[in-house]
Amino acid sequence: MNNNQDPRRFDNGYDPLGQPQVKRTYTPEEAGHDKHRKPVSRLSYNRRRRQRPKLNAAAVIITLIFILITGLCIFLIASGLNRPSDNKNDDPGKSPVPDETTEAVTTEDPLPYFTAELTKDQISYGELILVNSYNEYLFPEEMEGDVVNISEYKNEYYGMSSYSTSVKASKVALDAFNRLTEDCYNETGFKYLQINSCYRSREEQETLYAQYVEERGEEYAKAYVANPGESEHHTGLGIDLNVNREGAISYVESDAECEWFREKCQEYGFILRFPKDKVHMTGISHESWHYRYVGVPHAQIMEDMNFCLEEYIDYLKSYTYDGICLGYDDETGVFDMKAEEFYEAESGVMIYYVPADEGEESTDTLIPKDCTYTVSGNNVDGFIITCTK
């Protein structure tokens, strides 16, 4: 083999292992070093590597501000997505969020009724009390405070007999009578009704009864004058009327100009208490002059169904709150209804009877909310609740 062709031979020498015998040296420029830079020892190089770089304060502040602003924006966006919309029309397919008042009422007391306590003495107080020879009037203290002097409260559309100027009446009955006579005058121009008698104490009734016995005999007194304690005049709700045209006396029943009064009085809560065809039930002979206040709409119901008060009080006992109640409106008249139906109704009247708890001083009953109501005893054995929307 020609040594000149030996591949291990190089220009810089020959090495059997193929390594050059002489290593080439490079200038600083060729090696990529700066020939003017001082050489650095490994110790100083390592020390320099361990030194921490100095922080830039302005950069740190700017970074923190950026982080805070970014976090605040994310929080506001998240809050806006979770908050219910204030605009009730955002989604017409969903129910609007209730306001505070509605939510408070619904949350705290969602029931459509409340419980009322009725005391034992209330049985003998109210517009629907039945007073006759079987049900004596007990003169409750509430009634004594309710009667007022008619002459102090009357209007100009009716008169009073000369011997009745100090007569009293129940305030609620007198207010209704004032409205009735004023409307009667506005419709017909008639203003000749006269009040002869209304409220009487037990002592006054005793005197009157004795007077009739003396003047007309006991049979007549029994037929036309109630025994003391059994007279409707004790309640202040019964009014004796006639017509007085400058001294010419006539009866409401037969006077032609009283037609409007006779046909409309029930709309104001008055009934003819002792009609001809009910003598066998009332126990009192026909009195065309005796009108009784029972309230609205009871007077109209009694007129429509041809009931005297005795019949009506007995009729109402079949209607109870937890069973069937008596419904009424001007167009339909009377009908059966459940208490649940009255909750949903927008208008109308519901009437029901509550029996008094025997031997107890009070009786609890349920009364619907969202209506006006009255409580009347029947002076027999319970109470009558009238709810109106």
Side-chain angles (χ1 to χ4, degrees):
M1 175 184 234
N2 188 344
N3 289 334
N4 293 330
Q5 296 176 349
D6 188 350
R8 291 177 294 178
R9 184 176 297 276
F10 298 94
D11 294 337
N12 57 347
Y14 175 84
D15 185 351
L17 298 177
Q19 299 293 330
Q21 293 179 342
V22 179
K23 295 182 180 179
R24 182 181 176 185
T25 59
Y26 298 90
T27 66
E29 291 80 5
E30 291 175 325
H33 296 291
D34 184 357
K35 66 179 179 178
H36 302 290
R37 191 177 68 182
K38 293 174 65 176
V40 178
S41 68
R42 180 167 296 277
L43 177 63
S44 63
Y45 173 76
N46 291 335
R47 184 182 296 124
R48 189 171 62 186
R49 288 186 61 187
R50 289 196 297 267
Q51 290 180 351
R52 296 179 180 177
K54 294 183 180 180
L55 297 177
N56 190 319
V60 171
I61 293 173
I62 293 172
T63 302
L64 290 175
I65 292 174
F66 176 79
I67 292 173
L68 289 174
I69 293 175
T70 304
L72 180 61
C73 292
I74 293 173
F75 173 79
L76 293 176
I77 292 171
S79 300
L81 292 175
N82 294 328
R83 184 178 59 195
S85 174
D86 291 333
N87 186 353
K88 296 182 179 181
N89 295 322
D90 284 344
D91 188 353
K94 294 184 179 180
S95 300
V97 178
D99 57 32
E100 278 189 5
T101 303
T102 304
E103 185 176 3
V105 171
T106 303
T107 301
E108 293 179 6
D109 192 0
L111 297 176
Y113 56 81
F114 66 96
T115 302
E117 183 183 49
L118 309 178
T119 58
K120 186 177 181 180
D121 57 356
Q122 283 182 270
I123 292 178
S124 300
Y125 182 75
E127 292 82 18
L128 287 168
I129 52 176
L130 177 63
V131 180
N132 54 27
S133 58
Y134 302 100
N135 300 282
E136 185 176 356
Y137 187 65
L138 301 178
F139 295 89
E141 293 182 4
E142 292 90 344
M143 189 62 198
E144 292 295 329
D146 187 51
V147 293
V148 296
N149 194 308
I150 296 177
S151 62
E152 296 178 4
Y153 287 89
K154 71 178 292 296
N155 61 31
E156 58 185 299
Y157 306 111
Y158 62 93
M160 299 182 68
S161 64
S162 58
Y163 56 86
S164 67
T165 54
S166 61
V167 168
K168 296 179 179 181
S170 167
K171 181 66 164 52
V172 65
L174 186 58
D175 288 342
F177 189 74
N178 284 339
R179 292 193 298 271
L180 171 58
T181 52
E182 181 177 0
D183 289 350
C184 180
Y185 174 78
N186 291 334
E187 291 292 328
T188 66
F190 181 77
K191 60 175 184 178
Y192 300 108
L193 283 173
Q194 175 178 273
I195 292 180
N196 294 318
S197 182
C198 192
Y199 172 76
R200 297 185 202 134
S201 66
R202 179 183 287 271
E203 292 75 18
E204 289 173 325
Q205 190 70 20
E206 289 173 349
T207 301
L208 182 65
Y209 188 84
Q211 179 182 339
Y212 269 78
V213 170
E214 182 180 352
E215 294 178 356
R216 304 194 181 188
E218 189 170 356
E219 291 301 318
Y220 185 91
K222 287 181 179 179
Y224 290 97
V225 183
N227 289 322
E230 300 173 1
S231 171
E232 278 206 332
H233 286 288
H234 295 324
T235 68
L237 300 169
I239 302 177
D240 288 345
L241 297 171
N242 63 13
V243 178
N244 186 347
R245 291 185 181 83
E246 299 179 355
I249 305 298
S250 61
Y251 292 107
V252 175
E253 182 182 42
S254 56
D255 195 297
E257 289 191 84
C258 288
E259 182 179 2
W260 189 94
F261 178 90
R262 293 192 300 267
E263 292 181 353
K264 298 293 184 179
C265 67
Q266 63 270 7
E267 296 178 14
Y268 296 80
F270 290 91
I271 60 169
L272 181 64
R273 177 65 178 93
F274 304 114
K276 291 178 181 178
D277 59 342
K278 303 294 180 178
V279 174
H280 64 288
M281 301 197 70
T282 64
I284 299 293
S285 298
H286 172 53
E287 294 185 358
S288 64
W289 58 84
H290 187 100
Y291 282 80
R292 159 70 190 269
Y293 182 75
V294 295
V296 177
H298 304 286
Q300 186 65 61
I301 296 174
M302 292 171 66
E303 174 69 18
D304 293 344
M305 303 187 75
N306 191 30
F307 281 159
C308 65
L309 187 55
E310 282 78 5
E311 291 175 293
Y312 187 56
I313 294 302
D314 189 58
Y315 169 73
L316 290 178
K317 290 183 180 181
S318 60
Y319 294 98
T320 59
Y321 186 88
D322 55 357
I324 300 296
C325 299
L326 179 65
Y328 176 83
D329 63 50
D330 294 335
E331 295 183 0
T332 308
V334 298
F335 55 91
D336 292 347
M337 74 181 309
K338 293 265 191 183
E340 292 79 6
E341 296 177 273
F342 185 73
Y343 300 154
E344 305 296 329
E346 296 182 357
S347 61
V349 177
M350 183 175 74
I351 304 166
Y352 56 96
Y353 164 75
V354 179
D357 290 338
E358 289 189 32
E360 301 294 334
E361 292 300 315
S362 64
T363 300
D364 289 341
T365 186
L366 301 180
I367 296 179
K369 296 177 182 177
D370 301 325
C371 70
T372 58
Y373 71 96
T374 61
V375 178
S376 175
N378 62 9
N379 199 43
V380 182
D381 55 9
F383 313 90
I384 298 162
I385 314 297
T386 307
C387 305
T388 306
K389 283 187 177 182

